Amino acid sequence: MKFLLDFFPIVLFFIVYKTMGLYAAIYAMIAATAIQMGVSRFQTGKFEKAHIITFGLLVVFGGITLAVKDPAFIMWKVSVLYVVFALALILSMWIGEKTLLQRMLGKELDLPSQVWDQLTWLWGLGFVGIAIVNAYYVEVALKTREALFGATELDPSIELTELDCVATTAEQLCLVAQQTEESWVNFKLFGTMGLTFILIIITVTFISKYIKEKEK
C-alpha cells in the first residue's frame, strides 16, 4: 500500500501528461504530492521527511519550469532528488548511532549492523544509478528540443505535445523532440518504479538468509 502511495504522484503526472501536456502534469503532481503528504500524516501522525524533501524540490523546480516555460528544470529535478536521497542514506552511516534505513525499518527487521551498512550502500548507489539514467534521458530530450527550436521560428515556450509536426518546417526534428520528451516521461514512471522494484527484490533476497538464520 505504501509503495502505491509513494508512486501515486508520478502515476498521475504520467496520465495528465499523456492527456493534457507537461505543464498541466506539473500542477497535477504538485497537488498529488500534497495529498500524499496529507494521507501519510493521517495514517502515521507525522509528515515523512522524504515526502517533505520531494514536495520542496517539486515546488521549486516545477515552479521555475512553469514560470519560464522550460522543461529542463522539472526534468533535472528527478536526478537531484535521487542524489539527495542517496547522500542522506550514505551520510547516515557516519551521523548518529543508526543508519537511516535502520531508523526507518529497525522496528520490523532485526539485522546485524554490517547488514544495515550493506543495505545502505545498495540503496545509496542504486539511487545514484537512477539519477544517472534519468540524466541520460534528460540530455537526449533537451538536445533534440534545442535542435528543433534552433532550426525553426517556433516559440520555445510552447509545449511539444501541442505541436502538429506535419505543419512545422522541421517535421522530423519535431517528431524526434516529441518522442524523446515522451521517453523521459515514460522513464520517470516505468523506469524509476522498475529500478526501485529491482532494489526491493535484491534487498528481500539479501536479508532473507539472515531472517531464516534467526528463526532456527
Side-chain angles (χ1 to χ4, degrees), residues 87 141 154 204 216:
L87 288 175
L154 293 170
V204 172
K216 290 181 180 179

Side-chain angles (χ1 to χ4, degrees), residues 9 29 44 49 56 75-76 79 86 94 101 103 114 121 146-148 170 174 201 203 211:
M29 191 174 186
T44 64
K49 292 181 180 179
M75 288 181 170
W76 281 114
S79 290
W94 295 280
L101 279 179
R103 293 174 214 165
Q114 70 269 20
W121 279 113
E146 182 180 352
L148 169 63
C174 177
I201 292 175
T203 299
I211 295 176

Side-chain angles (χ1 to χ4, degrees), residues 12 58 84 102-103 120 126 134 159 170-171 189 196 200:
L12 185 61
L58 179 57
V84 168
Q102 188 173 1
R103 293 174 214 165
T120 296
N134 178 75
E159 289 201 49
E171 179 181 351
L189 173 61
T196 301
I200 292 173

Side-chain angles (χ1 to χ4, degrees), residues 71-117:
F73 296 95
I74 195 64
M75 288 181 170
W76 281 114
K77 170 256 171 187
V78 178
S79 290
V80 172
L81 178 64
Y82 277 96
V83 168
V84 168
F85 284 164
L87 288 175
L89 286 170
I90 294 173
L91 290 177
S92 72
M93 296 174 64
W94 295 280
I95 300 174
E97 298 180 356
K98 299 178 180 180
T99 65
L100 188 57
L101 279 179
Q102 188 173 1
R103 293 174 214 165
M104 294 169 59
L105 304 174
K107 293 181 179 180
E108 290 80 19
L109 296 172
D110 184 13
L111 301 171
S113 58
Q114 70 269 20
V115 175
W116 285 114
D117 289 345

Side-chain angles (χ1 to χ4, degrees), residues 141-176:
L142 293 181
K143 283 182 179 179
T144 54
R145 178 185 176 87
E146 182 180 352
L148 169 63
F149 290 114
T152 64
E153 296 182 355
L154 293 170
D155 183 358
S157 66
I158 192 173
E159 289 201 49
L160 291 179
T161 53
E162 295 180 353
L163 286 176
D164 178 5
C165 291
V166 177
T168 67
T169 58
E171 179 181 351
Q172 191 58 40
L173 282 175
C174 177
L175 291 172
V176 172

Side-chain angles (χ1 to χ4, degrees), residues 11 14 18 38 42 55 64 82 84 95 123 125 167 195 215:
V11 172
F14 177 84
K18 296 293 185 178
F42 176 77
F55 185 70
I64 295 173
Y82 277 96
V84 168
I95 300 174
W123 281 86
L125 295 177
L195 292 173
E215 292 175 346

